RNA sequence: GGGCUGGUAGCUCAGCUUGGAUAGAGUGCUGGACUUCUAAUCCAGUGGUCGAGGGAUCGAAGCCCUCCCGGCCCGCCA
């Protein structure tokens, strides 16, 4: 509970005081104070000012007097500020001990929002016809961080990746291989997914543009893909699985793992659509159109002024949105599961087992990857379609918010980076496009970052062996990439700039990681094991108390991040922790003080900082290096 | 035209959900700090009509309304 214990204590006492004055129904705030205004502040007097028609300062005076009589163990002083705020000062001797000892526990920062319930997080879900680009990375990193935060909040999280292996985009590269003579082997040194995206896909779509009559070939291929037994479908399956494997390698390299892979082709062949179609009709969520422009179609009526949405075409086939309905229902466990499960051919790093669905018999036991709640991470361009799914799911399931579309703005290319790729945009940012070859592959960004961080690390540690340098550079590169994707608000566009993304200073992961390395170094040099058996009352310097306070704030931020599905809250917290530690580092020394008791107390604090920052960074999938 | 969304310092962004105390960071620019636990660091200075206008409020960057500017989405494509 940490710092929250203090807040809770104050809140309880204030409630008792208000009860004593027979005032209820006032939802005042009790929050960490701005610096210079004590440790915790409450706005209660402002709110009472309305009821009592007195000015806030007078009320604050009365309340602070009353508060002095209430039982409090963690508050040392109450002050009524001339502004009307009620400011509380902590009893640091007690709070120091409380926070620092709790921070040594593994579950420090954990909150019980989920109550052990199951939740599905679906992210990534990239067409298996190309390599992952920097835009996909935002989705992947966001989804991964959300999953980590939810785990910390006592949810049982199932992480899914939906592989759309039967769409038009796949058909396009199959056309390339089958009709335009692209070799099955990529040129030397090129990953297969890069080859499919950069060469086969881009050049094949170029050909359509020049000769629209080729569209006929594409249509035929798409038709053949739908029949799972066709030779084309089997060929496509081989290709998409090769691409998928490469895509997964990119994800794994970034420390992203999944629990299960779902394949669109299997969902189509499973017959789930038929079942959900019947259910939709039964519940009259869709209607058959007898007249107008959608004659012969099944549609969902548009709400308000929105147009009706066609779900089943007049030729009886399901549209794009429609295909998402059975999957959404499956994720919520609303349908009988038609799938068997088998392990993916490759083991994920760290021995995380990856399952995949299959329609073939399997010797493995049946698995369950559904959840009471479902979070689908897709960018905001799909908001309209996702709203349809969300509405439908809320009608299927009693819980209103069982299905959540976690929307985020897309990643665009900065004008400079677009220029580098050969597109002049007149100083404007540009939307990425796989079809036009206008994107930056994730692997390339990682490679550039790694080359730069290797160079930096070598400069600092000429004595270090190459494999150690590579390890540090890897952690810093992944950290940098992840942090850049997470620190920004979800509904703000990230304008990706190749040059600026290589910055390792300021509000970046390396800044935070470096701070961690500094702390590690102190402990390493002390030649001691930090212990909790120290005198906490020796920690009285402002920079020490600030650090303890910030450490104690961990769970508050985890709760905030989990409730609002907002990983940036954790990113800001990590940065905050690092800034506070750096201030501590500049203000007070830890070693060679000639006072062993004080040294031990400070070592204990440094260690608490380390443990907390490591846990917080872990929620973002960023590794805290002991040396860099 | 309708829907969603952004507009805060030269640039990139926090803060807005839950209205209150001097609107915060980073970056840039200027200057300073390594014989010291790692300078991927720290300190100081510089820089703001919180898009505009109106409203309710003792009090608005935040709430309500109108407007302006940018982005995205609106197919029996996927």
């Amino acid at each position: 509970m940490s710092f929250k214990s203090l807040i809770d204590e104050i809140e309880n006492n204030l409630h008792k005081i208000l009860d004593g004055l027979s005032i209820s129904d006032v939802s005042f705030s009790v929050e960490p104070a701005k610096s210079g205004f004590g440790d915790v502040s409450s706005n209660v007097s402002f709110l009472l000012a309305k009821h009592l028609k007195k000015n806030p300062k007078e009320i604050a005076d009365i309340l602070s007097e009353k508060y002095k009589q209430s039982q409090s163990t963690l508050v040392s002083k109450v002050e009524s500020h001339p502004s009307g705020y009620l400011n509380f000062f902590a009893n640091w001797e007690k709070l120091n001990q409380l926070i620092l000892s709790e921070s040594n526990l593994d579950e420090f920062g954990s909150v019980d929002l989920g109550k052990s319930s199951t939740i599905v997080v679906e992210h990534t879900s990239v067409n298996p016809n190309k390599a992952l680009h920097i835009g996909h990375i935002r989705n992947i990193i966001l989804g991964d961080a959300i999953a980590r935060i939810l785990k910390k909040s006592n949810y049982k999280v199932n992480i899914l990746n939906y592989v759309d292996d039967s769409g038009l985009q796949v058909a396009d590269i199959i056309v390339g291989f089958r009709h335009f003579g692209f070799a099955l082997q990529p040129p030397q040194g090129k990953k297969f997914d890069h080859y499919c995206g950069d060469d086969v896909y881009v050049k094949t779509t170029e050909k359509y543009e020049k000769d629209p009559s080729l569209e006929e070939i594409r249509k035929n291929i798409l038709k053949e893909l739908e029949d799972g037994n066709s030779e084309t479908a089997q060929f496509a399956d081989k290709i998409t699985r090769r691409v998928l494997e490469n895509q997964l390698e990119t994800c794994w390299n970034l420390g992203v793992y999944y629990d299960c892979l779902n394949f669109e082709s299997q969902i189509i062949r499973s017959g789930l659509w038929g079942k959900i179609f019947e259910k939709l009709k039964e519940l009259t969520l869709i209607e058959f159109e007898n007249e107008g422009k959608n004659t012969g179609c099944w549609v969902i009526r548009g709400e308000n002024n929105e147009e009706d949405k066609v779900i089943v075409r007049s030729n009886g086939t399901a549209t794009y949105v429609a295909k998402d309905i059975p999957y959404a229902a499956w994720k919520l466990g609303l349908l009988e599961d038609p799938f068997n499960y088998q392990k993916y051919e490759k083991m994920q790093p760290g021995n995380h087992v990856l399952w995949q669905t299959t329609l073939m018999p399997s010797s493995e036991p049946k698995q369950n990857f559904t959840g009471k709640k479902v979070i689908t991470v897709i960018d905001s361009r799909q908001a309209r379609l996702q709203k349809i799914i969300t509405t439908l799911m809320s009608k299927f399931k009693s819980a209103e918010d069982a299905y959540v579309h976690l929307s985020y703005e897309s990643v665009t290319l900065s004008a400079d980076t677009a220029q580098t790729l050969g597109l002049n945009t007149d100083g404007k940012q540009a939307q990425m496009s796989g079809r036009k070859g206008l994107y930056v592959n994730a692997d390339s960004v990682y490679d550039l970052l790694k080359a730069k961080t290797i160079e930096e690390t070598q400069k600092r540690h000429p004595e270090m062996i190459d494999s150690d340098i590579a390890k540090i550079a890897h952690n810093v590169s992944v950290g940098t990439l992840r942090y850049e994707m997470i620190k920004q608000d979800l509904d703000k566009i990230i304008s990706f700039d190749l040059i600026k993304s290589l910055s390792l200073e300021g509000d970046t992961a390396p800044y935070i990681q470096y701070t961690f390395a500094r702390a590690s170094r102190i402990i390493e040099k002390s030649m001691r094991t930090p212990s909790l058996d120290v005198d906490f009352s020796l920690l009285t310097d402002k920079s020490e108390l600030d650090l303890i306070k910030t450490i104690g704030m961990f769970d508050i931020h985890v709760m905030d991040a989990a409730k609002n599905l907002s990983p940036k809250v954790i990113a800001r917290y990590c940065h905050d922790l690092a800034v506070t530690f750096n201030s501590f580092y500049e203000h007070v020394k830890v070693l060679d003080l000639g006072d062993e008791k004080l040294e031990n107390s400070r070592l204990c604090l440094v260690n608490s900082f380390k443990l907390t920052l490591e846990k917080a960074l872990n929620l973002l999938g960023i590794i805290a290096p002991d040396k860099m």
Side-chain angles (χ1 to χ4, degrees):
Chain A
M1 287 300 267
S2 60
F3 194 80
K4 198 154 182 312
S5 322
L6 174 65
I7 292 179
D8 289 346
E9 181 183 299
I10 293 169
E11 206 171 334
N12 282 333
N13 280 332
L14 284 176
H15 272 298
K16 276 184 201 151
I17 291 171
L18 292 189
D19 284 348
L21 297 167
S22 41
I23 300 167
S24 55
D25 262 11
V26 181
S27 56
F28 54 87
S29 74
V30 179
E31 288 170 334
K34 285 192 193 179
S35 86
F37 296 101
D39 298 307
V40 173
S41 311
S42 175
N43 66 349
V44 63
S45 359
F46 292 110
L47 299 168
L48 290 185
K50 262 178 202 158
H51 286 257
L52 304 177
K53 309 254 183 227
K54 276 187 188 167
N55 85 45
K57 166 68 175 154
E58 267 178 66
I59 295 170
D61 285 340
I62 297 168
L63 289 178
S64 70
E65 279 312 309
K66 288 225 182 252
Y67 197 94
K68 283 169 193 162
Q69 288 149 33
S70 34
Q71 269 211 324
S72 62
T73 51
L74 297 174
V75 174
S76 69
K77 195 171 70 164
V78 196
E79 247 180 36
S80 69
H81 190 269
S83 64
Y85 265 106
L86 215 48
N87 293 333
F88 299 84
F89 294 77
N91 174 350
W92 280 108
E93 216 165 301
K94 288 222 171 91
L95 212 55
N96 282 355
Q97 178 166 17
L98 191 68
I99 292 174
L100 294 186
S101 48
E102 287 199 4
S103 69
N104 277 258
L105 304 172
D106 281 345
E107 64 270 23
F108 184 60
S110 298
V111 295
D112 187 16
L113 186 65
K115 312 241 179 337
S116 299
S117 62
T118 52
I119 191 163
V120 167
V121 176
E122 181 214 326
H123 65 78
T124 307
S125 306
V126 179
N127 288 320
N129 72 324
K130 56 174 169 282
L132 302 175
H133 64 57
I134 192 70
H136 300 128
I137 295 303
R138 187 173 192 182
N139 180 299
I140 293 166
I141 297 306
L142 226 43
D144 183 67
I146 290 285
R148 288 165 186 263
I149 290 164
L150 292 175
K151 278 181 194 167
K152 187 85 178 157
S153 310
N154 197 21
Y155 281 96
K156 183 177 175 321
V157 184
N158 290 318
I159 305 170
L160 305 180
N161 179 0
Y162 178 75
V163 183
D164 181 358
D165 57 349
S166 57
L168 202 60
Q169 296 210 11
V170 168
D172 283 339
I173 61 166
I174 301 306
V175 170
F177 283 119
R178 278 292 159 90
H179 296 272
F180 300 151
F182 282 97
L184 277 172
Q185 283 312 315
Q188 247 212 321
K190 194 155 193 173
K191 265 174 87 191
F192 187 67
D193 57 342
H194 288 227
Y195 168 64
C196 286
D198 301 350
D199 301 314
V200 184
Y201 184 48
V202 171
K203 283 170 194 159
T204 299
T205 45
E206 248 171 42
K207 282 184 203 271
Y208 294 142
E209 262 166 44
K210 283 186 193 133
D211 183 358
S213 70
L214 296 170
E215 295 271 351
E216 204 53 37
I217 303 178
R218 183 203 215 180
K219 260 188 199 162
N220 288 335
I221 293 279
L222 195 57
K223 207 174 263 173
E224 287 173 51
L225 283 181
E226 273 167 28
D227 173 10
N229 296 321
S230 74
E231 196 270 326
T232 305
Q234 282 169 18
F235 172 72
D237 195 59
K238 283 207 182 86
I239 299 286
T240 53
R241 285 195 175 253
R242 265 176 90 181
V243 173
L244 174 63
E245 186 181 326
N246 283 176
Q247 289 180 341
L248 288 173
E249 282 163 4
T250 302
C251 299
W252 294 340
N253 187 47
L254 298 177
V256 176
Y257 312 112
Y258 307 88
D259 294 310
C260 186
L261 301 171
N262 294 107
F263 296 87
E264 179 171 84
S265 58
Q266 292 176 15
I267 291 184
I268 291 174
R269 286 165 213 155
S270 68
L272 279 181
W273 164 247
K275 286 182 190 154
I276 209 85
F277 187 33
E278 289 310 313
K279 207 163 171 179
L280 287 169
K281 285 194 263 191
E282 239 171 69
L283 295 168
T284 61
L285 294 172
I286 57 173
E287 293 172 41
F288 188 77
E289 197 69 280
N290 283 311
E291 51 184 18
K293 61 174 184 172
N294 295 330
T295 304
C297 301
W298 288 89
V299 302
I300 294 182
R301 292 278 175 237
E303 289 180 15
N304 304 326
N305 286 328
E306 283 174 20
E307 300 248 322
D308 295 346
K309 187 75 206 165
V310 172
I311 295 297
V312 178
R313 302 183 186 99
S314 52
N315 68 6
T317 58
T319 58
Y320 176 67
V321 230
K323 289 186 200 160
D324 257 13
I325 301 171
Y327 183 45
W330 178 87
K331 285 189 284 189
L332 280 168
L334 300 176
L335 298 167
E336 197 187 323
D337 186 10
F339 300 116
N340 292 317
Y341 294 84
Q342 57 185 210
K343 286 177 181 153
Y344 187 69
E345 299 82 65
K346 283 199 165 178
M347 182 61 93
Q348 302 184 103
N351 289 327
H352 295 83
V353 181
L354 175 58
W355 292 91
Q356 58 182 343
T357 56
T358 177
L359 290 171
M360 310 288 269
S362 169
S363 53
E364 300 284 353
K366 193 104 173 163
Q367 305 289 315
N368 184 352
F369 294 106
T370 64
K372 275 183 116 79
K373 277 192 75 166
V374 167
I375 292 169
T376 304
V377 185
I378 315 184
D379 76 66
S380 61
R381 285 172 296 196
Q382 299 268 5
R384 213 190 184 90
L385 297 180
Q386 281 296 308
K387 201 178 158 225
I388 293 174
I389 307 286
T390 307
T391 310
L392 282 180
M393 291 306 122
S394 71
K395 287 177 179 160
F396 280 173
K397 198 151 183 167
S398 50
E400 265 299 298
D401 54 352
Y403 186 94
V404 175
H405 168 215
L406 186 68
S407 170
Y408 62 93
E409 272 294 345
S410 46
V411 180
T412 63
L413 297 171
S414 75
D416 288 345
T417 299
Q419 186 104 53
T420 313
L421 298 175
L423 182 81
N424 191 333
T425 59
D426 290 327
K428 283 189 178 176
Q429 46 185 258
Q431 286 286 327
M432 280 190 265
S433 162
R435 194 181 306 271
K436 292 178 191 151
L438 197 63
Y439 52 81
V440 180
N441 279 328
D443 291 332
S444 333
V445 177
Y446 170 82
D447 290 344
L448 281 171
L449 269 169
K450 191 160 180 193
K452 175 150 184 193
T453 46
I454 283 177
E455 194 187 316
E456 287 290 325
T457 314
Q458 272 168 345
K459 241 190 266 169
R460 282 156 229 271
H461 304 285
E463 78 295 345
M464 206 180 265
I465 58 168
D466 284 356
S467 62
D468 286 349
I469 288 180
K471 202 171 154 195
I472 291 169
H474 170 76
N475 288 334
V476 173
S477 305
V478 171
T480 303
L481 203 48
R482 294 185 82 121
Y483 193 75
E484 291 312 302
M485 291 295 131
I486 289 172
K487 76 172 178 191
Q488 200 127 318
D489 195 86
L490 294 181
D491 42 31
K492 231 142 201 168
I493 294 168
I494 293 180
S495 170
F496 181 81
D497 189 282
L498 213 36
I499 307 295
K500 287 184 186 151
S501 71
L502 298 179
S503 161
L504 309 174
E505 284 157 24
D507 186 10
T508 62
Y511 170 85
I512 299 166
Q513 290 172 312
Y514 177 72
T515 310
F516 182 88
R518 275 179 145 182
S520 291
R521 187 72 173 148
I522 293 176
I523 289 173
E524 186 193 323
K525 278 215 163 176
S526 77
M527 310 283 276
R528 273 173 271 180
T529 313
S531 110
L532 281 166
D533 186 20
V534 300
D535 187 351
F536 294 103
S537 67
L538 296 176
L539 302 171
T540 55
D541 189 89
K542 183 172 182 303
S543 67
E544 292 170 323
L545 297 183
D546 281 348
L547 185 55
I548 296 168
K549 202 197 289 190
T550 310
I551 290 170
M553 229 83 97
F554 188 24
D555 56 350
I556 296 175
H557 289 104
V558 172
M559 185 57 111
D560 184 7
K563 261 190 183 161
N564 298 309
L565 301 177
S566 180
K568 76 164 179 207
V569 168
I570 302 297
R572 300 199 71 77
Y573 176 66
C574 288
H575 183 252
D576 225 47
L577 258 179
V579 168
T580 315
F581 181 83
N582 278 324
S583 166
F584 162 84
Y585 188 93
E586 298 289 331
H587 276 90
V588 301
K589 270 186 67 100
V590 176
L591 303 179
D592 306 324
L593 298 173
D595 177 346
E596 201 176 333
K597 278 189 166 179
L598 184 58
E599 272 184 37
N600 282 336
S601 298
R602 286 187 177 158
L603 271 176
C604 172
L605 173 55
V606 171
N607 194 48
S608 282
F609 161 75
K610 262 193 70 175
L611 292 170
T612 307
L613 182 58
E614 189 173 29
K615 287 188 186 92
L617 282 175
N618 180 49
L619 294 179
L620 307 178
I622 297 173
I623 287 173
D626 282 317
K627 205 167 183 182
M628 67 181 272

